[in-house]
Amino acid sequence: MRISLAWLAAYVPLPPADELARRLTDVGLEVEGVERVGAALDGVVASRILSSERHPGAEKLAVCQVEAGAGPVQVVCGARNYQVGDLVPLATVGTTLPGGTRISKASLRGVESFGMLCSARELGLSEDASGLLILPPGLAPGTPIAAALRLEDVLFEVNVTPNRPDALSHL
């Protein structure tokens, strides 16, 4: 059975995840695995699009200036579904996305890009690749995406034995 740490925390105060896994195992609920949900999105932050201009050497690309919490960053983007002022996910240099794409500083047709603005598909959140994932207004630039979308959680895979039907729910 999969148990969510966030759901359990809604009912009782909890120790850190590793300690809870040990305690559950000690009382006969063997924890077979611990998955940190949202960890695959480390390095992806909310960013506000400050400006967007046509790329001088490519018709279908734009050069965007985005605020990601530490000053403006220049990013070359091919999406068209955003407006200046929108909040969108920015995979910063050094990030590895869920699909295995490693983000590095790049030069696209002579213009440097310091990251990648992402769609929901690139983040592994859905199959929608029609454009950038537009985030809800009110987020501070630089907020980690996992926190912004409430994806930070720890899931325990617990082996529930037949004599413990009481352990088949979060309650």
Side-chain angles (χ1 to χ4, degrees), residues 52-70:
S52 177
E53 297 178 11
R54 216 172 135 169
H55 189 292
E59 186 177 305
K60 294 185 179 186
L61 296 177
V63 180
C64 298
Q65 297 295 322
V66 299
E67 172 59 46

Side-chain angles (χ1 to χ4, degrees), residues 56-160:
E59 186 177 305
K60 294 185 179 186
L61 296 177
V63 180
C64 298
Q65 297 295 322
V66 299
E67 172 59 46
V73 176
Q74 180 171 285
V75 180
V76 176
C77 178
R80 300 265 187 223
N81 69 316
Y82 63 87
Q83 297 177 6
V84 171
D86 282 347
L87 286 163
V88 297
L90 169 68
T92 58
V93 173
T95 300
T96 301
L97 294 174
T101 303
R102 178 127 174 103
I103 305 302
S104 58
K105 179 179 145 184
S107 179
L108 300 167
R109 297 200 180 178
V111 176
E112 288 190 325
S113 182
F114 299 91
M116 182 174 112
L117 301 179
C118 300
S119 69
R121 183 175 186 181
E122 291 160 335
L123 297 176
L125 301 176
S126 79
E127 290 302 313
D128 183 13
S130 62
L132 300 179
L133 174 64
I134 306 297
L135 300 171
L139 292 175
T143 303
I145 287 298
L149 298 178
R150 297 183 180 186
L151 298 175
E152 294 179 314
D153 197 2
V154 176
L155 297 178
F156 299 101
E157 184 66 40
V158 178
N159 180 14
V160 179

